[in-house]
């Protein structure tokens, strides 16, 4: 007997339809390997890392499109050295037919490498529509950010939402991953209360080693109290083990109320494990619908 059958039944159709994935520019061989495990038309975000160059980023977006998926290239504001660098990237995407969807991030550098301090400054250039961008993803932080005050985060989300609506460009939010569904849903409710009604993709870590998950969580300020990690299914005494987001997704599905939370979907942070994540999602969805 399955005591969580109701929640399992809700997970598949409510949240695991049309999930999205994340990869780096170096992950093209892994994408090739995983292609048969990924549903056609899946949105795949391509990160914008400091150790990758323009051609690598463009080539990764082309590979995503060639393999039958929807490329969502990231653009890191603080990593752009100039307005010309921004235009070169957009022009390259447009020429390749991969500019429809982009995802804007502030980026890791503490100081901007050029004129763009944040995602809003990219939106305000007006260049996105000029180069064929139709949909823009922006970030959400249900548990805050390790170096940015909460008030600043809310102001930034409001301002980006307003700027995109004014252009107009379609918008969506992808959240940082977490281990506890409760703060995610509280944050989503507040987003809706603030009048931001765009689709939200909840960030979820794909199956990965416990040590790796904890390392990423520490880097991004994700809550890892003993009670939270136990709730997720992590074992702090077995850092060599692996964990998947089974419990998190069941908790999210059980508490998701479309009337309060609106349109929610899932975005998997794969940590390089594209095939493992997609194989896991297929198994989990099958079990949820059983």
């Amino acid at each position: 007997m399955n005591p969580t059958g109701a929640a399992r039944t809700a997970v598949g159709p409510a949240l695991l339809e049309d999930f999205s994935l994340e990869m780096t520019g170096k992950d093209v061989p892994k994408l090739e390997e995983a292609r048969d495990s990924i549903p056609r038309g899946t949105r795949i975000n391509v990160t914008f890392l400091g150790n990758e160059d323009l051609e690598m980023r463009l080539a990764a977006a082309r590979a995503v499109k060639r393999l039958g998926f929807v490329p969502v290239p990231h653009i890191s504001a603080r990593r752009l050295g100039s307005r010309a660098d921004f235009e070169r990237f957009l022009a390259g995407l447009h020429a390749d037919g991969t500019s429809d969807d982009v995802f804007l991030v502030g980026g890791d550098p503490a100081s901007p490498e050029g004129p763009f301090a944040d995602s809003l400054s990219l939106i305000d250039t007006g260049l996105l529509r000029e180069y064929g961008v139709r949909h823009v993803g922006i970030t959400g932080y249900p548990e805050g950010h390790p170096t940015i005050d909460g008030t600043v985060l809310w102001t930034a989300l409001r301002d980006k939402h307003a700027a995109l609506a004014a252009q107009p460009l379609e918008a969506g939010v992808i959240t940082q991953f977490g281990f506890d569904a409760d703060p995610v849903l509280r944050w989503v409710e507040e987003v809706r209360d603030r009048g931001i009604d765009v689709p939200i993709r909840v960030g979820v870590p794909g199956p990965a080693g416990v040590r790796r998950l904890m390392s990423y969580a520490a880097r991004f300020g994700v809550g890892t109290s003993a009670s939270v990690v136990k709730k997720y299914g992590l074992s702090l005494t077995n850092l060599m083990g692996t964990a998947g987001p089974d419990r998190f997704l069941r908790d999210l599905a059980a508490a998701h109320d479309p009337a309060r939370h609106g349109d929610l979907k899932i975005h998997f942070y794969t940590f390089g494990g594209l095939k493992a994540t997609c194989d896991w999602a297929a198994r989990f969805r099958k079990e949820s619908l059983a």
Side-chain angles (χ1 to χ4, degrees):
M1 181 177 180
N2 174 17
T4 58
R8 283 175 181 266
T9 301
V11 171
L15 293 174
L16 283 184
E17 290 290 345
D18 188 28
F19 62 78
S20 55
L21 300 165
E22 192 151 310
M23 61 176 276
T24 73
K26 296 184 177 70
D27 285 337
V28 172
K30 294 179 181 178
L31 180 64
E32 296 268 8
E33 177 192 6
R35 64 187 299 180
D36 293 335
S37 301
I38 305 174
R40 298 277 294 183
T42 294
R43 297 168 65 85
I44 300 182
N45 286 39
V46 181
T47 58
F48 193 109
L49 302 181
N51 59 359
E52 297 170 352
D53 59 22
L54 173 64
E55 182 49 41
M56 183 178 292
R57 296 173 186 132
L58 293 173
R62 289 195 298 268
V64 171
K65 182 180 179 182
R66 172 174 55 82
L67 293 171
F69 311 117
V70 177
V72 185
H74 287 203
I75 306 177
S76 175
R78 288 192 289 275
R79 290 196 185 280
L80 291 168
S82 65
R83 182 184 172 99
D85 286 346
F86 185 27
E87 289 210 57
R88 272 192 290 272
F89 189 38
L90 289 174
L93 294 173
H94 189 249
D96 291 338
T98 57
S99 66
D100 282 3
D101 300 79
V102 300
F103 184 74
L104 305 182
V105 296
D108 291 336
S111 299
E113 297 174 13
F116 303 114
D118 51 32
S119 300
L120 182 60
S121 61
L122 298 179
I123 298 168
D124 285 343
T125 64
L127 290 172
L128 295 170
R129 278 176 57 88
E130 239 181 82
Y131 285 95
V133 175
R134 296 187 305 152
H135 182 278
V136 178
I138 53 179
T139 53
Y141 297 93
E143 297 184 64
H145 188 283
T147 62
I148 304 175
D149 179 76
T151 302
V152 174
L153 289 175
W154 281 116
T155 299
L157 184 61
R158 178 201 66 198
D159 291 349
K160 286 182 285 188
H161 174 252
L164 290 170
Q167 295 222 7
L169 287 163
E170 295 178 21
V173 174
I174 296 179
T175 74
Q176 183 53 268
F177 73 87
F179 296 136
D180 188 351
D182 292 340
V184 172
L185 290 173
R186 285 196 298 269
W187 179 86
V188 171
E189 282 196 59
E190 186 164 356
V191 170
R192 302 313 187 198
D193 288 344
R194 290 171 180 259
I196 299 172
D197 59 358
V198 300
I200 294 175
R201 289 183 177 269
V202 176
V204 176
V210 173
R211 187 183 297 278
R212 191 171 197 186
L213 288 172
M214 297 298 287
S215 173
Y216 276 100
R219 176 182 172 189
F220 294 113
V222 173
T224 55
S225 67
S227 60
V228 166
V229 298
K230 182 178 180 182
K231 183 176 182 180
Y232 188 82
L234 297 174
S235 171
L236 295 180
T237 60
N238 181 18
L239 294 179
M240 300 305 293
T242 60
D246 311 51
R247 295 186 188 182
F248 177 92
L249 286 175
R250 290 188 189 117
D251 288 347
L252 191 70
H256 176 216
D257 178 357
R260 292 160 59 206
H261 305 122
D263 181 14
L264 296 185
K265 297 187 185 298
I266 296 300
H267 177 75
F268 285 110
Y269 292 91
T270 65
F271 305 127
L274 282 163
K275 188 173 189 307
T277 297
C278 292
D279 287 347
W280 176 91
R283 288 194 303 269
F284 183 71
R285 186 172 187 275
K286 184 176 180 181
E287 292 170 4
S288 298
L289 294 172

